[in-house]
Amino acid sequence: QVQLVESGGDLVQPGGSLRLSCAASGFTFSSYVMSWVRQAPGKGLEWVSTISSGADTTTYGDSVKGRFTISRDNAKNTLHLQMNSLKPEDTAAYYCAKAYDGQWYVFESWGQGTQVTVSS
């Protein structure tokens, strides 16, 4: 059974940095495209970033491009999101998501989320 467990969320000041992690189990992690998605209070889901199974291709939403970096360690079944130059509008619950086999942006499984709050 697929399990995705996010960690690393915290309260941080504007301009600060955080690194989120997602521990994956129950499937062959290295075979699947993985993503980060977020949901701000009172708003819908927003796609943040996606990384190919082999980590050779990454894509980012316009709102985080140049500030966030997605990465993965297939040996450790772990997905990361390095977030720099954080803004108050980055405040959200962040979820890692596993894509369906052969898909990029259609998500099959989600974690429980980790809260990021950017505030002074």
Side-chain angles (χ1 to χ4, degrees), residues 89-103:
E89 51 263 44
D90 294 318
T91 294
Y94 283 72
Y95 302 89
C96 68
K98 170 187 173 290
Y100 280 99
D101 189 20
Q103 297 289 325

Side-chain angles (χ1 to χ4, degrees), residues 1-81:
Q1 137 202 13
V2 173
Q3 277 201 308
L4 300 168
V5 181
E6 300 93 338
S7 61
D10 205 346
L11 170 64
V12 62
Q13 292 189 342
S17 297
L18 276 178
R19 189 187 194 214
L20 305 184
S21 297
C22 172
S25 61
F27 65 104
T28 305
F29 180 73
S30 59
S31 296
Y32 290 88
V33 173
M34 297 293 296
S35 297
W36 288 97
V37 180
R38 68 185 182 185
Q39 186 169 27
K43 296 192 176 182
L45 290 169
E46 178 188 11
W47 168 74
V48 174
S49 182
T50 294
I51 187 167
S52 62
S53 58
D56 54 325
T57 302
T58 58
T59 56
Y60 297 92
D62 287 343
S63 62
V64 306
K65 200 173 295 182
R67 299 188 298 121
F68 291 10
T69 303
I70 191 171
S71 63
R72 64 192 297 162
D73 184 338
N74 284 344
K76 296 183 178 179
N77 291 349
T78 305
L79 179 72
H80 298 290
L81 185 69

